Amino acid sequence: TNLRIDGGKSIRGTRLSWQASLAEGLYLFAAGGVQKGMYDHSNSAFLVKRDDRQEDLTVGLTYRYRPDWLVRPQITYVRNYSNIIVNRYDQVDFSVTLRRDFK
């Protein structure tokens, strides 16, 4: 943090998650969170202390189609609010994970 133009960052937030079984080997899940980040120093380029609020939500399915294999499609939405315009963004990410468990 000593080399960052904004200094260190204090973080507060919360996360919640949920999962439900839809059928044998098929699960619906959701997770979301809110995080507040407050920086220590004034940003010399924008002459304010950076203050961010990030919100995210993930929704997806987990399907175990064989005992050692699962497929997990999910979509995640992230929004970062900031009092410094260049640090504001919205992001959507879609991914599919194929996983094998080795026992």
Side-chain angles (χ1 to χ4, degrees):
T1 60
N2 292 338
L3 301 176
R4 289 186 47 87
I5 195 168
D6 300 308
K9 177 179 170 182
S10 298
I11 300 170
R12 284 184 265 148
T14 188
R15 296 205 59 77
L16 297 171
S17 60
W18 168 85
Q19 180 172 308
S21 177
L22 300 177
E24 182 69 32
L26 182 63
Y27 304 92
L28 176 65
F29 67 90
V34 176
Q35 175 181 294
K36 178 86 169 157
M38 296 151 297
Y39 290 78
D40 293 336
H41 302 294
S42 182
N43 183 303
S44 60
F46 294 92
L47 303 176
V48 295
K49 281 188 178 182
R50 183 174 164 190
D51 190 7
D52 290 355
R53 176 185 166 100
Q54 181 175 300
E55 302 166 354
D56 66 88
L57 176 64
T58 300
V59 178
L61 293 169
T62 301
Y63 175 56
R64 185 171 295 277
Y65 65 96
R66 288 194 175 162
D68 296 341
W69 288 92
L70 64 85
V71 176
R72 183 178 178 147
Q74 69 182 43
I75 189 163
T76 301
Y77 174 70
V78 178
R79 171 172 278 173
N80 193 72
Y81 299 97
S82 180
N83 63 335
I84 298 178
I85 190 116
V86 298
N87 298 109
R88 293 181 195 163
Y89 62 88
D90 291 294
Q91 175 182 332
V92 176
D93 177 68
F94 177 76
S95 63
V96 177
T97 303
L98 177 63
R99 177 176 140 180
R100 183 177 192 282
D101 295 329
F102 294 94
K103 297 176 184 177

